[in-house]
Amino acid sequence: MLSCVKLTQRVASHPGMLTAAAMRLKHTLPDLPYDYGALEPTISAEIMQLHHSKHHATYVNNLNIAEEKLAEAHAKGDVTTEVALGPALKFNGGGHINHSIFWTNLSPDGGGEPEGDLLAAINRDFGSYENMKTKMSAATVAVQGSGWGWLGYDKDAKRLTIAACANQDPLQGTTGLIPLLGIDVWEHAYYLQYKNVRPDYVKAIWNVVNWENVAQRFSAAQ
Amino acid sequence: HEALRGPIRNSGGGYVNHRLFWNIMGPSKGGEPSGDLAAAISSAFGSFDAFKEKFSQAAATQFGSGWAWLYVDTNKSPATLEVTSTANQDTPAMEAGKVPILGLDVWEHAYYLKYQSKRAAYIDAWWNVVNWDEVATRYEQARA
């Protein structure tokens, strides 16, 4: 879940009158559940630090700015501006959603294989864990430009589905699928360490997948 | 054939775009354009600095992977100079009559090893290596 922990209140110009517009929920950068170097050698500390403290932080900041502008436009009845803010909300909101999920999807104690209900669903929908891994890796590597590969859950069809999204398009907001496991393939996620060899990065990242977290998300999606 | 459209757009675009990119840069270049190109830029954008600002903005605000472009639109009479940005390996040249004469790669691979997340610093520095003679040649060719 996103951490919308900071509630800032502005006292309205009329004493005693607090409108919805005066209340602002500011998004904050979630803490990483582990140190920057914890995922080495799979993902370098340098990448983790830049990825979390620069890239994710920028999405959070710009999301707050866009939402502030949206609130102002809304208060003025300026629908033109509201609509024009769509892309910025999608980029930055999606970026915040995606990275918040990503940090929990990984763990220094990760790797191995899924178990229990999640494994049963994987076997049912893909034949085997290896087959799911192969398909998801292929879809992720094949993303053109910047984007993400996802293992998602289709609540209507009650099946696991592999998907890819461009840029920071959020999986659920764009496709309706519930995100369970994401692999970031924006170049900033791997370039310093893997250079242009994206397949090596995607192959390696399975070593740090936190199956407990993926299973929790799967369970919550039922 | 439909299945080939994506790969051709990406790989074909990548090939064409990078060929232009290597040619419009060079050591001991930078500075400003002169002659007809300089006049055309002033006319289209108000001044070279105003053009530089607009191009840099296009490069900085392209979300995700892509390019910023200066191109000649030969569909218009007289032909115009325009600035735009495109996603991934798309190019203005995908539309007949639009001829890119200057391009800046803002895929992260173009700058990450040296500038990391600081795309703006990369864009700022890049002007120091633009080969205006080459851009001017392409401008003349586009108008021919």
Side-chain angles (χ1 to χ4, degrees), chain A residues 72-93:
Chain A
E72 281 166 18
H74 181 68
K76 290 191 262 176
D78 179 0
V79 181
T80 299
T81 299
E82 287 191 38
V83 171
L85 286 166
L89 288 165
K90 190 177 183 183
F91 299 158
N92 296 296

Side-chain angles (χ1 to χ4, degrees), chain B:
Chain B
H1 285 128
E2 267 311 304
L4 286 175
R5 209 176 272 277
I8 288 177
R9 180 175 179 163
N10 297 318
S11 298
Y15 170 69
V16 162
N17 295 340
H18 286 84
R19 270 196 63 171
L20 178 151
F21 194 45
W22 309 138
N23 283 313
I24 54 89
M25 293 189 293
S28 316
K29 299 295 178 189
E32 299 193 11
S34 54
D36 285 356
L37 177 58
I41 285 175
S42 286
S43 173
F45 303 101
S47 67
F48 174 67
D49 281 341
F51 152 70
K52 212 175 139 176
E53 172 60 37
K54 188 164 187 184
F55 186 99
S56 297
Q57 261 298 97
T61 56
Q62 176 58 33
F63 195 75
S65 305
W67 291 74
W69 302 100
L70 173 65
Y71 69 94
V72 180
D73 188 346
T74 66
N75 296 312
K76 303 209 174 107
S77 191
T80 57
L81 272 178
E82 319 262 354
V83 161
T84 190
S85 61
T86 56
N88 294 345
Q89 295 299 351
D90 288 355
T91 156
M94 286 161 76
E95 287 178 54
K98 294 187 174 177
V99 185
I101 61 173
L102 177 68
L104 173 56
D105 189 349
V106 290
W107 282 62
E108 287 175 326
H109 65 238
Y111 60 91
Y112 212 82
L113 292 176
K114 187 173 166 87
Y115 296 93
Q116 287 85 59
S117 56
K118 297 176 291 239
R119 189 193 283 188
Y122 158 67
I123 295 167
D124 210 47
W126 171 78
W127 293 103
N128 294 328
V129 295
V130 172
N131 181 351
W132 288 109
D133 290 338
E134 176 67 24
V135 181
T137 301
R138 287 168 181 268
Y139 177 64
E140 293 312 318
Q141 284 168 354
R143 291 199 306 168

Side-chain angles (χ1 to χ4, degrees), chain A residues 10-23:
Chain A
R10 270 207 315 246
V11 176
S13 50
H14 299 284
M17 196 171 90
L18 278 173
T19 62
M23 310 276 280

Side-chain angles (χ1 to χ4, degrees), chain A residues 3 7 12 28 53 104 114 121 127 132 150 177 185 204:
Chain A
S3 53
L7 191 72
T28 59
S53 70
T104 69
M132 184 281 284
W150 291 99
L177 294 170
V185 286

